[in-house]
Amino acid sequence: MANGIAALLMCLASIGALFGLAAVVLAGRYRAVPLADAKLPPITVLKPLHGAEPALEANLDSVFAQDYPAPIQIIAGVSDPDDPARACFAAVAARHPNIVSHMIVDAQQHGLNNKLSNLTNMAPAIEHGLVVIADSDVAWMPDTLRRLASAMGDPTVGLATCLHVGRGDVGFWSRMAAMDISYRYMPMVIVGTAMGLARPALGPTMAMSRDALESIGGFARFATVLADDYEIGRAIREQGLQTILPPLFVTHGCAESSLGALLAHELRWSLTIARIDFAGFIGSITLHALPLALLGMVLANFPIESWIVLVTVLAARWATKARIDAVAGRSSGPAWLLPIRDLLSFGVFCATFVIKKVDWRGAQFRVTRDGKLHSLQGSAP
């Protein structure tokens, strides 16, 4: 029995190594290439804010400093008039007087998802036909809006989203969180998209037309779900439009300052994925090639074949990291940390099968099989 299980684990680990090598080959599709000159439309950027996050000023400045030839409107939103992000936004806006900007302060709650409630309150201020949503912890390259607007020029496209790499903003645990984004999640998105198994809509940065947003019921429709990006993408496709990944990366800042904070965040998203796509979640076990190879080695009592699989897996993982770093133009962490990060990710995967609730901004929720949030406190967070 043990030998049979060991053989299965080695097989799964080998599939994981092949998956990593496929990501190495396919990642080149997302290297930014020069853009042809074209007339681009005016654009509205929505930036929902919450608190004085690390690097918030730099993240905001990257939006105001876009190299974009058409008018830009930037709308930020907070629910609390005393939110320190409000003053930070005002300071950055003052340095860019040529950019039209607005701060929306509105405490009205439309559902348990605070981000979507915030966006719902911001939406009436939208002035332009092309809308980009950018999380507060995201930084852009200067040509990001150009690339998104060019991608949205195709009338069959309803939503353009961005691959992202992690950036640790507050020390070791934030760096570990960043590495999971860059070296596990993004390869999964790249290969899944190429195989037709995934049609991602990635929340850190998404572009869509205002008409498409209105046709799917606006932001308020999604204010009760946790995976709002996933549901928005699905709603756009139900309108007969495509969701696409143009060739560019954005940077996602990570602020997990402790192991507990990291686990709370990653378990929340892992449980959400399991709830909305359980088969896909089970299939993602092959992404944990290193832990599978190590378990197989132990069960098989360390035969030479297991060492070959282990070395192959490690080589594939380090090659994946090197390729993502090269295409994205930044590193999320050192190569020697990658095996530790992989073991931690496998622990999160296994724990997902036993947890029943998630923590989000100090409140606890139950996530139903349709991805909806239900407060365990009886009130919104």
Side-chain angles (χ1 to χ4, degrees), residues 51-214:
E53 297 177 329
L56 177 60
E57 185 172 348
N59 295 340
L60 289 171
D61 198 68
S62 74
V63 176
F64 278 88
Q66 286 293 295
D67 176 18
Y68 194 72
I72 300 173
Q73 176 199 25
I74 300 174
I75 306 172
V78 296
S79 59
D80 182 355
D82 295 324
D83 193 316
R86 187 178 178 185
C88 184
F89 180 82
V92 175
R95 296 201 296 267
H96 300 272
N98 57 314
I99 301 293
V100 175
S101 63
H102 311 277
M103 168 57 73
I104 306 298
V105 182
D106 192 336
Q108 184 176 1
Q109 194 77 22
H110 301 274
L112 293 177
N113 186 319
N114 277 352
K115 173 184 171 182
L116 268 292
S117 285
N118 200 351
L119 287 168
T120 301
N121 295 332
M122 296 158 64
I126 295 173
E127 295 179 356
H128 302 311
L130 184 56
V131 179
V132 178
I133 308 158
D135 283 354
S136 57
D137 53 9
V138 168
W140 288 349
M141 295 296 289
D143 60 352
T144 297
L145 284 184
R146 280 181 177 266
R147 295 186 179 280
L148 287 171
S150 295
M152 290 296 297
D154 183 341
T156 69
V157 173
L159 183 147
T161 190
C162 298
L163 294 169
H164 47 282
V165 288
R167 180 193 66 210
D169 287 341
V170 290
F172 176 80
W173 293 111
S174 67
R175 182 176 297 180
M176 291 288 275
M179 292 179 71
D180 187 61
I181 291 170
S182 300
Y183 309 134
R184 184 187 63 85
Y185 186 35
M186 287 304 105
M188 178 177 68
V189 171
I190 289 169
V191 177
T193 301
M195 296 176 64
L197 300 175
R199 290 178 291 178
L202 304 175
T205 296
M206 300 189 297
M208 68 188 78
S209 71
R210 182 166 57 173
D211 288 344
L213 177 61
E214 292 172 353

Side-chain angles (χ1 to χ4, degrees), residues 28-52:
R29 297 182 177 185
Y30 299 97
R31 188 187 295 274
V33 296
L35 289 172
D37 290 335
K39 184 176 181 180
L40 298 175
I43 198 163
T44 293
V45 178
L46 303 179
K47 199 80 170 175
L49 305 179
H50 179 81

Side-chain angles (χ1 to χ4, degrees), residues 284-303:
S284 71
I285 191 173
T286 57
L287 301 178
H288 303 284
L290 178 60
L292 295 176
L294 291 172
L295 286 172
M297 286 183 70
V298 173
L299 287 174
N301 201 23
F302 304 97

